[in-house]
Every structure is written in C-alpha cells, then in structure tokens.
Amino acid sequence: MKICFATNNKNKLFEIKNKLGEAYEIISLSDLGHFEDLAETQDTLEGNSLQKARFVYDTYGVNCFADDSGLMVEALNGEPGVNSAFYAGEAKSSEANVALLLNNMRGINNRKARFVTVITLVLNGKVEQFRGEIDGSIAEHPSGSHGFGYDPVFVPDGWQCTFAEVDLQLKNKISHRARAVEQLVDFLK
Ligand code: IMP
C-alpha cells in the first residue's frame, strides 16, 4: 500500500521506512511534487498534524500521515509547546530558542519538561492519532553537540546527560517521536 508521510525531512523518512518494512511504500511530499512547507496554523500538536495530513489527503487523494512535536515545560505553563520551532522568532534558530528558554527559566527550581509528538493518520478518510511522550528536565546550561533543537538542554528522566550528549541512534530508541512512530507502525501492521 502506498502512503505519504507529509514531510521532506530525510531523517524522519529514513526512520519510518526502516521500521515499516516492505508492506508499505512510503512516499514523501516531494514525491507528490510538493516542495513547500505545509501550513501549521492550529494551536495544538493534534490540530497541526491533522491539518497537514488532511491537506495532503484532500489535495492529492493519497492516504497520509503527518507529525508535529514540541517541548512542554511545566513551570512555563506548557511553553514553548506547539510554538517550539518559533519560540524566539521566525528565524527558527535553535540557539536563540534554547537561550530564550534558559532565560525564561532563570531562578525557577521546577525544571520538569516533556517532549511530545503527535502523528495523525488519514486512512481512507478515517482519522487516527498517536501520541509519544518522554519526560525529563531542563538543564541549567546547554551540553553536547548531537541532535537538534532543544536536545542540548533536555535531560531524560533517569539519565545524567542531555539528549545532545549521546549518539542519535540511542536517542531515537526512546524519543517521543520513536514512541509515536511505534504506535503508528503497530496500527499499520
Ligand atoms: P517538528 O514538529 O518535529 O518539526 O518539531 C517542532 C520543533 O520542536 C522543532 O523545531 C524543535 O525546536 C522542537 N523539537 C521537536 N522534537 C525535538 C527533539 O527531538 N529534540 C529537540 N527539539 C525538538
């Protein structure tokens, strides 16, 4: 069965193809001739991933899933949340986002945080959603050079180091995204 993953992110495509095996032919947005980012104008991860998957299903008539992720910090009432990519502005700069986060958390003792991924699947018009989460805390200072986004300041519960201090393969075994992908794969299989 052919199914579109509404992304052009090569790492995400590789991860899902690896986990799904041969039964599904995963195509990307660019395979459909769509090269721009899809609109994400909703105020929840559920809303944004649904918006993207539905757009592709309605426009191209192909079964589709889409993801949206964010970092929820308890002491900041869930911020940066759905706004994680643009926390410090339109430039989508990871350094600026991390700097703003650490600044907003200065003097705050409750460092609890959670990464969340929601995947929405639109299959023959029917909607299914899958949610993956990982709990952790925000470090006082950035450490490590692997990964992306808020990885240098996110310490998963039970770990003594940030996501950015370990190999990407290790992070990808337990990450919020991996947990949501596993649920999608179980459902499709
Ligand atoms: P996306 O929905 O996967 O594009 O994620 C949106 C934003 O959330 C990213 O631009 C990052 O700022 C942040 N984010 C999501 N997942 C991760 C992660 O695994 N590590 C660090 N930051 C992440």
Side-chain angles (χ1 to χ4, degrees):
M1 181 198 274
K2 191 186 276 192
I3 189 159
C4 174
F5 184 7
T7 185
N8 280 325
N9 181 316
K10 291 198 168 59
N11 294 322
K12 290 183 180 181
L13 283 161
F14 179 78
E15 189 184 352
I16 194 99
K17 281 182 183 172
N18 220 13
K19 288 187 169 150
L20 263 178
E22 308 266 289
Y24 291 87
E25 184 194 347
I26 301 296
I27 59 170
S28 67
L29 278 180
S30 58
D31 293 324
L32 295 172
H34 193 107
F35 300 98
E36 306 88 54
D37 286 342
L38 296 176
E40 297 176 283
T41 56
Q42 308 303 303
D43 56 10
T44 59
L45 301 178
E46 284 80 4
N48 276 339
S49 56
L50 175 62
Q51 182 178 17
K52 292 190 288 184
R54 200 162 267 297
F55 172 83
V56 171
Y57 184 81
D58 291 345
T59 308
Y60 297 104
V62 60
N63 288 322
C64 176
F65 59 89
D67 70 335
D68 198 25
S69 303
L71 175 69
M72 322 287 177
V73 178
E74 190 173 272
L76 300 178
N77 299 317
E79 280 188 9
V82 71
N83 197 28
S84 290
F86 303 99
Y87 195 39
E90 285 298 313
K92 274 187 160 184
S93 155
S94 291
E95 288 76 23
N97 287 341
V98 166
L100 179 62
L101 176 66
L102 291 179
N103 202 38
N104 288 346
M105 293 199 68
R106 212 182 293 155
I108 296 178
N109 291 325
N110 175 8
R111 317 284 300 184
K112 278 189 202 163
R114 173 177 287 168
F115 268 128
V116 181
T117 294
V118 174
I119 294 177
T120 298
L121 169 70
V122 181
L123 190 67
N124 304 321
K126 196 164 172 278
V127 173
E128 302 282 346
Q129 294 196 306
F130 311 93
R131 188 181 176 91
E133 301 182 345
I134 180 161
D135 287 331
S137 58
I138 301 301
E140 296 281 346
H141 307 283
S143 316
S145 55
H146 298 280
F148 70 101
Y150 299 90
D151 283 345
V153 291
F154 185 80
V155 180
D157 283 352
W159 288 33
Q160 306 300 322
C161 64
T162 69
F163 260 164
E165 290 179 279
V166 299
D167 208 66
L168 200 57
Q169 268 185 326
L170 180 56
K171 175 194 163 189
N172 283 346
K173 275 193 184 142
I174 64 154
S175 76
H176 46 307
R177 191 169 299 99
R179 289 174 177 175
V181 166
E182 275 158 23
Q183 291 173 46
L184 169 75
V185 168
D186 281 351
F187 179 86
L188 287 175
K189 279 185 170 168

